[in-house]
């Protein structure tokens, strides 16, 4: 699922006429199948799922306590809009407040997405993350520097 564009990107492509309705439905069905298989996996392994959920909630609550939930969501949303960033499939709806913050963090279960460190001010943020694309893939560490644009939205200006 990491090479599949996120749902907002698919809608953008559809609206621009780059893909037709059938292609849109087929790719959205792939997203749905991935979610269903994840739910089935959680049903099969309830203890591991609860432990992972507890770790993710803990990690998210520490980030929110230090930086504020809205700022963390803004940073995650900006990362979710990147083209060649595999965790974008996890982060694309981080701006939606009805989705709990812990849903975007994966500490042990593949695909991993962890925030190692984050510094933020009102106008910028720097975040160090580590992630992988799936089971057995190597861990990638990256640093992103985000700055607010003219519309006062965070956007990535530097990626290391």
């Amino acid at each position: 699922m990491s090479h599949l564009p996120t749902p907002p990107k698919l809608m953008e492509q559809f609206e621009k006429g780059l893909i037709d309705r059938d292609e849109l439905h087929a790719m959205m069905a792939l997203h749905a199948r991935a979610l269903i298989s994840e739910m089935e996996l959680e049903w099969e392994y309830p203890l591991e799922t609860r432990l992972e959920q507890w770790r993710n909630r803990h990690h998210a609550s520490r980030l929110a306590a230090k930086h504020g939930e809205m700022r963390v969501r803004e940073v995650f949303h900006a990362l979710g809009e990147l083209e060649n960033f595999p965790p974008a499939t996890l982060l694309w709806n981080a701006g939606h407040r009805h989705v709990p913050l812990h849903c975007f963090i994966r500490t042990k279960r593949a695909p991993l997405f962890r925030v190692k460190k984050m510094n933020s001010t009102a106008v910028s943020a720097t975040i160090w993350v580590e992630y992988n694309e799936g089971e057995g893939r190597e861990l990638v560490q990256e640093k992103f520097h985000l700055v607010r644009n003219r519309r006062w939205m965070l956007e990535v200006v530097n990626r290391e």
Side-chain angles (χ1 to χ4, degrees), residues 11-75:
M11 290 305 297
E12 186 179 305
Q13 290 175 4
F14 175 69
E15 289 169 355
K16 289 180 179 177
L18 300 174
I19 59 174
D20 64 10
R21 184 175 303 277
D22 292 333
E23 290 172 311
L24 173 68
H25 285 260
M27 288 190 257
M28 291 298 275
L30 291 174
H31 277 287
R33 275 189 227 114
L35 286 173
I36 291 168
S37 68
E38 209 169 290
M39 288 188 285
E40 288 171 346
L41 187 67
E42 289 180 357
W43 180 258
E44 286 180 45
Y45 303 102
L47 181 60
E48 291 86 351
T49 298
R50 288 305 247 177
L51 289 172
E52 173 75 2
Q53 189 179 61
W54 178 82
R55 282 189 293 265
N56 296 345
R57 283 180 190 264
H58 179 70
H59 194 70
S61 68
R62 291 184 70 193
L63 276 172
K66 185 172 182 184
H67 303 284
E69 181 178 345
M70 287 310 297
R71 179 135 331 127
V72 174
R73 284 182 181 279
E74 282 183 299
V75 170

